[in-house]
Amino acid sequence: MGKFYITTAIDYANGDPHIGHAYEKIGADVIARFHRLRGDDVHFLIGMDEHGQTVAQKAAERGLTPQQQVDEIAPRFRDMWSTLGISYDQFIRTTEEAHKTGVRALIKRIFDNNPDDFYEKSYRGLYCIGCESFKQASEVVDGRCVLHPSRVLEQVEERNWFFRLSKYQEFLRRVFTERPEFLQPESKRNEMLALLDQGLEDISASRARFTWGVPFPAPLSNGEHQTTYVWFDALPNYLTATGFPAKGYRDRWPADVHIIGKDITRFHSIIWPAMLQAAELPLPRRVWVHGFVLFGGEKFSKTAGVRLDLDEAIARFGVDAFRYFLLREVPFDADGSFTWERFEERYTADLANAFGNLASRVVTMVEKYTGGLVPAGVAPETHAADASDLSAYTAFLDGSRGYLLHEALRIVWNIVTRANEYAQRRQPWALAKEPASRGDLEQVLASLVRQLARLAVLVFPFMPGKAEELWQSLGGPGRAQDQRLEALLRLDPGGWRVVKGPALFPREQPSAKASSGR
Ligand code: ME8
């Protein structure tokens, strides 16, 4: 049993959770649940990024203090994550005292270990509040930030603490070259290597005239106290969540993987490792960059006004169908679109017809032909193909080829198709009519239940609520989530008592939201 520490980006507390946030958290949840099925000791961190100008500005617009604003938003995110069945172990908020102490300790540790890494400099530049960073000329078109064209760039001129990022250029190049798994997918690693080729500029680490943040631990030489730059406060959340600087932090740090979106790759794969190296702390093992969920070809954002109501999308077919659809349709290594038409098609074809119908037919036949008791049987004829699919499934989820969650689902649906074909070929309903075929009938039903039991465990990371429903209706002992992947092929349902429940994915939809198990 290994330790596995997984994190997601912490979300800005300047609006409600949207479908892009949900996609990232669901993806990370799948990886966390997969590791639990392997018996790993998982720690799954998510949280809120509560400082910075976007938050302060939003609060001001609403006539609230920043603290009131973040206290109102954090529970809305937590509620959404519990609705979506996100099995996080820790929810960090950057306004927590322990986090602020950790950030100051990290900065002090950089001052102690590499005193030249911070220096004072007067600076003039264009600041984008949307990105919470200064923009270089190449990132500005018509006076606007390319990522946040609806925002006005701020001309900022002040004296700040600077972090000597440029010093880490060769170190980072070595990390990318010697540890290719450090930043994936490959396309992102190439993008970052190209940035290194252009040369890194030092970045400001503190801000004047802005107080909504962590006080920077050292005053400027003129005695002025400044506030820590928001990314210098946000990135360390992964470390402060482990209790840093208290000694026990080493039990958890370094993180096994940071799951983040493509717009914040540079912060996680260049600035964060440089900060850690400057503090002489180990780097995270991997950074995995997912793409964006698009709607009508555009990214979701509060400022661009592209809207798709998360509650509405969940209500359409329930939580688990929503989780399935997002991860099946939007590849976890690239951008993809959310469309209602595809959602309906996939719900009907993959969930209601292929998967739900298989489960309901098999349970009905066991009730009808063998009195509800699953007959004993030998390993199914499909065993070898199932076994090779299981190892492909594992390879798409364990990070060894990156995190290709959509591919893992494709593999699971291969097993669903194979089970349906098997039922069609062996025709248990016909065998039931011939007393002489009793042995064959029992073997076919035993095989089908065995495949369904495997499927319940394999879909568990993606659709935890439906997986448990299926497991219960098969009469499996305990819960699907307590099964172990390594024992999956030995799972023998002979003697289980099936219980016919409501359809897993009814064709006529209930209007209420379905709930997902945690
Ligand atoms: O960037 N599709 O917060 P955030 C997929 N606080 N992912 C998306 C997305 C979309 N349409 N839109 C946003 C921040 N995301 C910082 C992070 S981490 C130390 C600080 C992803 O609320 C985005 O890429 O703007 C990021 O990973 C996460 O949602 C939070 O975005």
Side-chain angles (χ1 to χ4, degrees):
M1 187 160 108
K3 286 195 176 197
F4 187 74
Y5 177 27
I6 176 171
T7 71
T8 65
I10 49 174
D11 305 312
Y12 282 132
N14 62 357
D16 281 326
H18 58 62
I19 209 163
H21 294 136
Y23 171 70
E24 174 175 286
K25 272 55 182 180
I26 295 169
D29 186 57
V30 167
I31 299 167
R33 288 175 184 271
F34 165 80
H35 275 274
R36 292 195 196 100
L37 283 182
R38 300 224 305 185
D40 289 337
D41 175 12
V42 173
H43 191 79
F44 177 14
L45 173 74
I46 66 177
M48 303 302 304
D49 190 351
E50 304 195 315
H51 290 134
Q53 275 174 258
T54 52
V55 175
Q57 195 179 58
K58 190 73 195 174
E61 276 168 24
R62 300 180 61 216
L64 300 176
T65 64
Q67 190 66 52
Q68 285 171 327
Q69 155 93 6
V70 300
D71 286 347
E72 185 192 299
I73 298 276
R76 300 227 286 264
F77 274 79
R78 286 189 87 133
D79 286 351
M80 178 52 77
W81 304 149
S82 80
T83 299
L84 283 173
I86 308 301
S87 62
Y88 61 87
D89 298 291
Q90 187 179 358
F91 186 89
I92 193 171
R93 295 177 56 184
T94 55
T95 50
E96 286 164 17
E97 280 312 315
H99 170 73
K100 294 194 255 184
T101 307
V103 170
R104 290 163 62 87
L106 176 67
I107 294 172
K108 282 194 197 126
R109 194 172 156 132
I110 300 178
F111 270 107
D112 289 346
N113 289 325
N114 286 288
D116 290 344
D117 280 8
F118 285 119
Y119 62 97
E120 287 178 40
K121 190 172 93 168
S122 295
Y123 187 80
R124 220 173 144 219
L126 285 174
Y127 192 81
C128 171
I129 298 179
C131 297
E132 293 278 19
S133 69
F134 284 97
K135 300 271 96 177
Q136 301 190 349
S138 60
E139 299 168 301
V140 177
V141 172
D142 296 335
R144 303 276 169 144
C145 163
V146 287
L147 295 175
H148 298 94
S150 63
R151 287 184 183 268
V152 179
L153 288 170
E154 235 180 80
Q155 184 66 250
V156 175
E157 188 167 1
E158 48 185 47
R159 188 164 182 83
N160 295 143
W161 279 110
F162 266 70
F163 174 62
R164 212 177 290 280
L165 184 62
S166 55
K167 173 178 154 189
Y168 292 94
Q169 187 153 316
E170 286 320 306
F171 165 74
L172 290 164
R173 197 188 302 280
R174 271 202 315 281
V175 171
F176 289 140
T177 326
E178 289 168 11
R179 294 172 50 187
E181 79 292 347
F182 174 72
L183 176 63
Q184 290 176 313
E186 179 81 19
S187 56
K188 296 296 169 225
R189 192 165 71 98
N190 293 337
E191 267 176 36
M192 292 302 117
L193 279 166
L195 273 188
L196 292 182
D197 287 344
Q198 287 167 26
L200 294 179
E201 287 183 15
D202 295 344
I203 55 168
S204 97
S206 69
R207 298 296 309 276
R209 294 191 302 273
F210 181 73
T211 52
W212 182 238
V214 179
F216 196 81
L220 294 182
S221 50
N222 66 5
E224 182 190 335
H225 287 272
Q226 298 205 333
T227 302
T228 306
Y229 167 49
V230 65
W231 277 100
F232 260 72
D233 157 357
L235 289 164
N237 87 86
Y238 308 123
L239 175 67
T240 65
T242 67
F244 178 87
K247 277 215 169 47
Y249 80 89
R250 292 203 195 91
D251 293 345
R252 198 160 282 150
W253 190 258
D256 289 277
V257 61
H258 294 324
I259 306 287
I260 55 151
K262 63 176 184 176
D263 55 334
I264 54 176
T265 312
R266 187 176 64 98
F267 294 101
H268 284 80
S269 64
I270 290 186
I271 299 178
W272 178 226
M275 287 171 71
L276 286 165
Q277 179 68 6
E280 299 181 4
L281 287 166
L283 310 193
R285 295 201 173 88
R286 287 169 199 268
V287 176
W288 174 263
V289 184
H290 62 75
F292 268 19
V293 185
L294 309 174
F295 187 59
E298 291 197 64
K299 73 169 184 171
F300 291 90
S301 89
K302 283 148 261 186
T303 40
V306 175
R307 298 215 164 272
L308 172 82
D309 187 57
L310 189 49
D311 290 315
E312 190 187 340
I314 297 167
R316 181 71 186 91
F317 296 113
V319 168
D320 280 5
F322 174 69
R323 289 173 59 114
Y324 171 80
F325 175 68
L326 264 190
L327 292 185
R328 181 82 200 252
E329 193 70 10
V330 183
F332 211 54
D333 59 346
D335 293 352
S337 280
F338 181 103
T339 73
W340 290 105
E341 296 72 32
R342 287 295 290 158
F343 195 6
E344 276 154 31
E345 273 166 34
R346 282 221 177 265
Y347 180 82
T348 307
D350 300 1
L351 297 179
N353 291 349
F355 187 41
N357 193 31
L358 171 73
S360 123
R361 277 160 75 205
V362 171
V363 170
T364 303
M365 288 191 288
V366 173
E367 284 197 328
K368 202 161 144 196
Y369 304 141
T370 57
L373 208 61
V374 181
V378 293
E381 292 165 57
T382 53
H383 184 80
D386 288 356
S388 90
D389 276 345
L390 177 63
S391 47
Y393 168 92
T394 300
F396 286 128
L397 293 178
D398 68 4
S400 57
R401 291 196 217 164
Y403 293 100
L404 302 180
L405 312 183
H406 54 294
E407 293 288 350
L409 275 178
R410 184 179 56 75
I411 296 286
V412 176
W413 255 256
N414 285 348
I415 303 179
V416 171
T417 305
R418 191 177 304 123
N420 274 315
E421 283 168 2
Y422 174 76
Q424 213 48 44
R425 192 170 69 246
R426 299 302 309 270
Q427 308 231 338
W429 49 92
L431 295 174
K433 293 190 185 126
E434 303 287 334
S437 304
R438 183 77 192 169
D440 278 357
L441 171 68
E442 290 186 355
Q443 173 59 38
V444 173
L445 293 181
S447 294
L448 286 169
V449 176
R450 196 183 299 230
Q451 264 183 315
L452 277 175
R454 287 174 182 174
L455 284 168
V457 177
L458 295 179
V459 300
F460 170 76
F462 296 89
M463 297 192 281
K466 294 298 172 184
E468 295 296 354
E469 270 180 49
L470 173 59
W471 186 258
Q472 273 163 32
S473 85
L474 297 176
R479 294 173 303 178
Q481 74 172 73
D482 300 324
Q483 306 309 305
R484 288 291 163 264
L485 283 176
E486 46 152 35
L488 196 59
L489 292 172
R490 297 191 299 275
L491 193 66
D492 180 0
W496 294 3
R497 184 166 286 283
V498 302
V499 190
K500 180 110 180 134
L504 279 182
F505 300 101
R507 292 214 180 80
E508 286 301 317
Q509 265 313 290
S511 54
K513 285 186 232 174
S515 68
S516 182
R518 270 197 63 168

